[in-house]
Amino acid sequence: GAVVSQHPSRVICKSGTSVKIECRSLDFQATTMFWYRQFPKQSLMLMATSNEGSKATYEQGVEKDKFLINHASLTLSTLTVTSAHPEDSSFYICSARAARAYNEQFFGPGTRLTVL
Amino acid sequence: GQNIDQPTEMTATEGAIVQINCTYQTSGFNGLFWYQQHAGEAPTFLSYNVLDGLEEKGRFSSFLSRSKGYSYLLLKELQMKDSASYLCAALDSNYQLIWGAGTKLIIKP
């Protein structure tokens, strides 16, 4: 299957700082990327869907000003957690999908964020 | 509303067979996925069904009945490394994935 990378894999930051997470599709063009959050022992929660070159669509309850998503190219999307707080500590996972390839959604390895 | 139901937890014995069921209610339907997720890792793709019937892939098989809104994942010859959460997800009419809460599978020797 296709490869999706995420960077960093782990990040620890102080409360109030901003953290940027990158998601890259390495061998295909990802017209759509998804950002998920997963708290311990819970299922994936979709935060937002981003299509290359357009604004992200956020799920209900997700603050767009706090979780900034940029999908400027067909191989890169970034999630910036602004003014992070301890309650933002979670496992953030991105996934990517090529145009019209609805049956193929590939996941990155995830980023473990810990906010002190 | 849209909903995916699957058992929270199942226990099975090494070498045995286990079936994890999933029922779904979605606005439209464009296929059903099964993913495996080990603790602390991202999900990995196991199967995709869009037509009725059974699809076999090695030790894992997945079944779909669209008329019943039902799918199952069958794992044979269980190994300890199969201990993981198994996520069922349905693709709705907008091609959005609707996720179940996952089934934690515990394999005992």
Side-chain angles (χ1 to χ4, degrees):
Chain A
V3 179
V4 175
S5 70
Q6 257 181 266
H7 178 80
S9 57
R10 290 180 181 272
V11 58
I12 301 173
C13 68
K14 293 182 179 179
S15 185
T17 60
S18 293
V19 175
K20 180 185 281 188
I21 303 170
E22 291 186 350
C23 177
R24 294 181 185 272
S25 57
L26 298 185
D27 51 1
F28 69 102
Q29 293 186 327
T31 52
T32 304
M33 286 187 169
F34 304 88
W35 285 97
Y36 293 88
R37 182 167 53 181
Q38 188 175 34
F39 293 106
K41 299 184 179 180
Q42 295 186 22
S43 189
L44 298 172
M45 288 174 45
L46 179 65
M47 299 175 68
T49 301
S50 73
N51 292 297
E52 185 267 337
S54 60
K55 290 184 179 180
T57 302
Y58 289 80
E59 295 299 301
Q60 194 171 9
V62 178
E63 299 173 58
K64 61 180 67 176
D65 294 330
K66 181 171 181 62
F67 299 100
L68 303 178
I69 292 172
N70 183 285
H71 190 171
S73 79
L74 285 171
T75 58
L76 173 64
S77 176
T78 59
L79 167 68
T80 301
V81 183
T82 62
S83 186
H85 288 96
E87 57 265 31
D88 298 323
S89 298
S90 187
F91 191 44
Y92 291 86
I93 310 172
C94 73
S95 68
R97 189 176 73 194
R100 293 180 293 282
Y102 301 111
N103 61 331
E104 295 181 324
Q105 187 168 322
F106 302 100
F107 284 84
T111 297
R112 176 76 58 192
L113 171 64
T114 303
V115 184
L116 302 176
Chain B
Q2 307 200 96
N3 193 52
I4 306 284
D5 283 319
Q6 52 181 130
T8 304
E9 187 174 295
M10 298 182 72
T11 302
T13 305
E14 189 177 16
I17 299 174
V18 70
Q19 178 175 311
I20 303 174
N21 296 324
C22 170
T23 57
Y24 63 89
Q25 290 177 303
T26 55
S27 302
F29 179 76
N30 283 296
L32 189 122
F33 293 82
W34 284 96
Y35 284 86
Q36 180 191 60
Q37 186 178 26
H38 284 100
E41 299 180 11
T44 55
F45 172 82
L46 290 178
S47 67
Y48 170 74
N49 295 64
V50 67
L51 300 177
D52 286 351
L54 184 69
E55 297 219 359
E56 298 183 68
K57 194 184 295 185
R59 294 190 296 113
F60 293 5
S61 302
S62 56
F63 172 84
L64 177 67
S65 168
R66 294 179 65 143
S67 62
K68 294 181 179 178
Y70 167 69
S71 173
Y72 68 72
L73 180 69
L74 190 71
L75 293 77
K76 303 177 184 176
E77 301 169 18
L78 286 170
Q79 301 175 9
M80 297 304 293
K81 67 178 182 179
D82 297 330
S83 293
S85 286
Y86 291 85
L87 307 175
C88 171
L91 202 59
D92 71 7
S93 58
N94 294 319
Y95 296 98
Q96 296 279 47
L97 275 175
I98 310 301
W99 292 89
T103 298
K104 182 178 180 181
L105 178 62
I106 300 168
I107 310 294
K108 295 185 175 179

